[in-house]
Amino acid sequence: MTSSTKMTFDLKTYLRDRQQRVEAALDASLSIGYPETVYEAMRYSLLAGGKRLRPILCLATCELLGGTDAMAMPTACALEMIHTMSLIHDDLPAMDNDDYRRGKLTNHKVYGEDVAILAGDALLTYAFEFVATQTQDVPADHTLRVIADLGKAVGAEGLVGGQIVDLASEGLTDVSLDTLNYIHTHKTGALLRVSVTSGAVLAGADDAQVSTLSQYANNIGLAFQIIDDILDITATSEELGKSAGKDLAAQKATYPSIWGLEESKQQAQTLVATAKASVLESFGSAAQPLVALADFIVDRTH
Amino acid sequence: MTSSTKMTFDLKTYLRDRQQRVEAALDASLSIGYPETVYEAMRYSLLAGGKRLRPILCLATCELLGGTDAMAMPTACALEMIHTMSLIHDDLPAMDNDDYRRGKLTNHKVYGEDVAILAGDALLTYAFEFVATQTQDVPADHTLRVIADLGKAVGAEGLVGGQIVDLASEGLTDVSLDTLNYIHTHKTGALLRVSVTSGAVLAGADDAQVSTLSQYANNIGLAFQIIDDILDITATSEELGKSAGKDLAAQKATYPSIWGLEESKQQAQTLVATAKASVLESFGSAAQPLVALADFIVDRTH
């Protein structure tokens, strides 16, 4: 079934269409106001391109459950605002101290550290405000649940917790697989999971559906990170749009450093196969976009 | 009427009681989880004392409109989480570079800049999550409105916008009164205003009531800032729990630097008198706590 799905579903067109809709919605979400500096800094990073994987996952599960863009697009945009905030703060000198991101100078290199910190705070804040004010055709208690789920995914129980453990593990040579898993299920996994589940919640999914999608998201989230670790070794800086080989240079614990490259690739493949099988079983051919998106994650080169 | 109100209303007991309830709720809002560092950093600043003026204003207007603590306390706590986040980020080396806050070392001096940035992000996130998950006995659409109002008050249209203009005005000798007003109505005023209006919205206030309370909040918010500027000149560092005389040393534009000390005191008195008159006219003797709180703002010594 998987191979026939691959044959009949045109992922390239699907992604291009969704990316265009997301770009347009992000552009419209934030116009320049006063003081211009902070809006420019917010837009600089928010509209710097990227795969828009999180918004697309949110739109995909909402559509899978019979929902519309009007229901999901504000949350899709909020996911990208949150993701962008985390990149801006992560790139700061006090954190990863990166000069380039997506092939462009990082936010603080252009606007200064003070503005970058505040632009991140403003994007994070605006994400919640945007969901609260812009979501349409969804019962208010479902929107509240999405706000709560977003909060859990970003805060100390999620992304921030993952970053803290990641920072604390820097330079350590004995990081365990458990710790590495904690870092990634929180630092990247939590936001990917809520990207998938929020679209479903907005469309009125039942608990069993949310649970299936949550498992799918856990599996592709971990596969995503393993591939990220692999690409840091095998891809060029040009392909990545950021410095390659950083993990090796920093002697950072990664899946390839624990498992080796081949075993890492194998693990990612297995996770993606599990993810695909679970959504096909629950949703049948309607799950085609999710199946193709899972493949996209392991097949990507940047 | 004002003087008789003052005679019959025991503000000291009122404040002590509310402060105790807020402290207990804040303490219960955030227990130590894993990774401990970030929870400890969050609690370090969240539970560092302070007047808890924002939560108390929220509880007061909710009670004024017939609401309960179950309705307002989560938002009251969220206001303090947001306020705390803004102080942590404001104290960072890239911003105001402060070593002390409320008589204690600032967050980044204890936990490092990276953890301080992330603890701020986590507190900001948790504020929205906490309102969404903990608010009781309030229709979901009212809770959503409070989340939206909090967002506006904190983001580029509010607190962050005020901080950006404040940073841009540093070292300038020709800051206009308009700019100074912009800074303060956004940097401190916006969060004080939503402290007052959110309690009312949660209790089901109508538009006219919210509008009256919003005006009250604008007036006490500006008075609060004028007094802050005055205290920076007249109080000792010990009284303030932070460095005194900082504005003068930084040649910062303040109300006393534009108006002089006496005129500044006069302006603050007038604003407070207007604030008191408006709530007494609309709510009668039920507004006693708000009247006393307005007086408290001009009478405080730190």
Side-chain angles (χ1 to χ4, degrees):
Chain A
M1 184 158 184
T2 310
S3 60
S4 73
T5 302
K6 267 185 165 172
M7 281 166 60
T8 56
F9 186 74
D10 181 357
L11 179 66
K12 209 170 153 186
T13 305
Y14 179 88
L15 286 178
R16 192 172 49 220
D17 171 69
R18 280 7 178 228
Q19 276 162 353
Q20 281 170 354
R21 274 147 63 186
V22 169
E23 290 299 332
L26 286 172
D27 188 32
S29 72
L30 194 64
S31 49
I32 302 277
Y34 177 83
E36 292 85 358
T37 325
V38 71
Y39 288 98
E40 284 166 8
M42 291 164 80
R43 286 179 59 90
Y44 175 80
S45 294
L46 186 63
L47 302 176
K51 294 176 287 292
R52 310 306 191 189
L53 188 58
R54 292 159 193 80
I56 292 173
L57 284 168
C58 175
L59 296 177
T61 56
C62 186
E63 195 179 337
L64 171 67
L65 275 299
T68 63
D69 267 20
M71 293 174 170
M73 191 59 91
T75 299
C77 289
L79 288 159
E80 199 66 17
M81 292 172 196
I82 289 169
H83 177 54
T84 303
M85 170 286 295
S86 78
L87 300 181
I88 295 174
H89 282 186
D90 209 31
D91 287 338
L92 286 167
M95 308 270 281
D96 282 358
N97 195 20
D98 271 307
D99 290 353
Y100 288 92
R101 166 74 69 182
R102 292 173 179 168
K104 296 172 66 179
L105 283 172
T106 46
N107 201 286
H108 66 274
K109 294 300 283 184
V110 178
Y111 296 97
E113 278 183 64
D114 48 1
V115 174
I117 294 168
L118 290 168
D121 293 347
L123 278 170
L124 177 56
T125 301
Y126 195 48
F128 292 104
E129 179 187 339
F130 201 67
V131 173
T133 58
Q134 302 298 314
T135 304
Q136 288 171 44
D137 310 326
V138 173
D141 58 329
H142 290 194
T143 307
L144 275 183
R145 175 168 169 197
V146 165
I147 288 169
D149 290 348
L150 283 174
K152 260 190 239 310
V154 186
E157 281 180 72
L159 196 155
V160 165
Q163 283 187 300
I164 290 278
V165 177
D166 193 19
L167 288 165
S169 305
E170 252 174 39
L172 299 183
T173 51
D174 59 346
V175 175
S176 68
L177 185 58
D178 277 354
T179 301
L180 195 62
N181 281 336
Y182 178 91
I183 291 170
H184 295 312
T185 53
H186 290 74
K187 188 171 168 174
T188 53
L191 195 60
L192 281 172
R193 187 166 57 243
V194 76
S195 301
V196 167
T197 58
S198 61
V201 169
L202 290 164
D206 63 33
D207 287 349
Q209 290 169 325
V210 173
S211 170
T212 298
L213 290 167
S214 186
Q215 276 306 314
Y216 162 86
N218 287 344
N219 288 323
I220 63 166
L222 201 48
F224 184 85
Q225 187 57 49
I226 296 172
I227 300 294
D228 235 38
D229 286 357
I230 294 172
L231 288 174
D232 184 74
I233 296 170
T234 60
T236 64
S237 298
E238 200 181 345
E239 282 172 324
L240 294 179
K242 62 181 178 185
S243 314
K246 280 198 63 175
D247 297 343
L248 273 177
Q251 294 193 292
K252 204 167 172 175
T254 65
Y255 289 104
S257 79
I258 291 181
W259 286 333
L261 267 180
E262 275 316 303
E263 169 74 8
S264 298
K265 283 181 192 171
Q266 191 55 54
Q267 292 273 1
Q269 297 283 4
T270 305
L271 287 164
V272 166
T274 308
K276 284 158 47 172
S278 68
V279 289
L280 280 170
E281 191 187 317
S282 295
F283 303 106
S285 62
Q288 277 183 351
L290 294 186
V291 168
L293 282 163
D295 279 326
F296 173 64
I297 281 172
V298 273
D299 293 340
R300 74 197 166 97
T301 55
H302 63 279
Chain B
M1 184 158 185
T2 308
S3 60
S4 72
T5 302
K6 267 186 165 171
M7 280 166 61
T8 55
F9 186 74
D10 181 358
L11 179 66
K12 209 171 153 185
T13 304
Y14 179 89
L15 286 178
R16 193 172 50 220
D17 171 70
R18 276 17 176 221
Q19 277 162 354
Q20 281 170 355
R21 274 147 62 184
V22 170
E23 290 299 333
L26 286 172
D27 188 31
S29 72
L30 193 64
S31 49
I32 301 276
Y34 176 82
E36 292 85 357
T37 325
V38 70
Y39 289 98
E40 284 165 8
M42 291 163 81
R43 285 179 59 91
Y44 176 80
S45 293
L46 186 62
L47 302 175
K51 293 176 287 292
R52 309 306 191 189
L53 187 59
R54 292 159 193 80
I56 292 173
L57 285 167
C58 175
L59 296 177
T61 55
C62 187
E63 195 179 338
L64 171 67
L65 275 297
T68 63
D69 268 19
M71 294 173 171
M73 191 58 91
T75 299
C77 290
L79 288 159
E80 199 66 18
M81 292 172 195
I82 289 168
H83 178 55
T84 302
M85 171 286 295
S86 78
L87 300 181
I88 294 174
H89 283 186
D90 210 32
D91 288 337
L92 287 167
M95 309 270 281
D96 282 357
N97 195 20
D98 271 307
D99 291 352
Y100 288 93
R101 166 75 66 182
R102 290 172 179 169
K104 295 173 67 178
L105 283 172
T106 46
N107 201 285
H108 66 274
K109 295 299 283 184
V110 178
Y111 297 97
E113 278 183 64
D114 48 1
V115 174
I117 292 168
L118 290 168
D121 292 347
L123 278 170
L124 177 56
T125 300
Y126 196 47
F128 292 104
E129 180 187 339
F130 201 66
V131 173
T133 58
Q134 303 298 314
T135 303
Q136 288 170 44
D137 310 326
V138 173
D141 57 330
H142 291 194
T143 308
L144 275 184
R145 175 168 169 197
V146 165
I147 288 169
D149 289 349
L150 283 173
K152 260 191 240 309
V154 186
E157 282 180 70
L159 197 153
V160 165
Q163 283 187 300
I164 290 278
V165 177
D166 193 19
L167 288 165
S169 306
E170 252 174 39
L172 300 183
T173 51
D174 59 347
V175 175
S176 68
L177 185 57
D178 277 354
T179 301
L180 195 63
N181 281 337
Y182 178 90
I183 291 170
H184 295 311
T185 53
H186 290 75
K187 188 171 168 175
T188 52
L191 195 60
L192 282 172
R193 186 166 59 243
V194 76
S195 301
V196 167
T197 57
S198 61
V201 169
L202 290 163
D206 63 34
D207 287 348
Q209 290 169 326
V210 173
S211 170
T212 298
L213 289 168
S214 187
Q215 276 305 314
Y216 162 86
N218 287 343
N219 288 322
I220 64 166
L222 201 49
F224 183 84
Q225 187 57 49
I226 296 172
I227 300 295
D228 235 38
D229 285 357
I230 294 172
L231 288 174
D232 183 74
I233 296 170
T234 60
T236 64
S237 297
E238 200 181 345
E239 283 172 323
L240 294 179
K242 61 181 178 185
S243 314
K246 280 197 64 174
D247 297 342
L248 272 178
Q251 295 192 291
K252 204 167 171 176
T254 65
Y255 290 103
S257 79
I258 290 181
W259 287 332
L261 267 181
E262 275 317 304
E263 168 75 7
S264 299
K265 283 181 192 170
Q266 191 55 55
Q267 292 273 1
Q269 297 284 4
T270 305
L271 287 164
V272 165
T274 308
K276 284 159 46 173
S278 68
V279 289
L280 280 170
E281 190 187 317
S282 295
F283 304 106
S285 63
Q288 277 183 351
L290 294 186
V291 168
L293 283 163
D295 279 325
F296 173 63
I297 281 172
V298 273
D299 293 340
R300 73 198 168 97
T301 55
H302 63 278

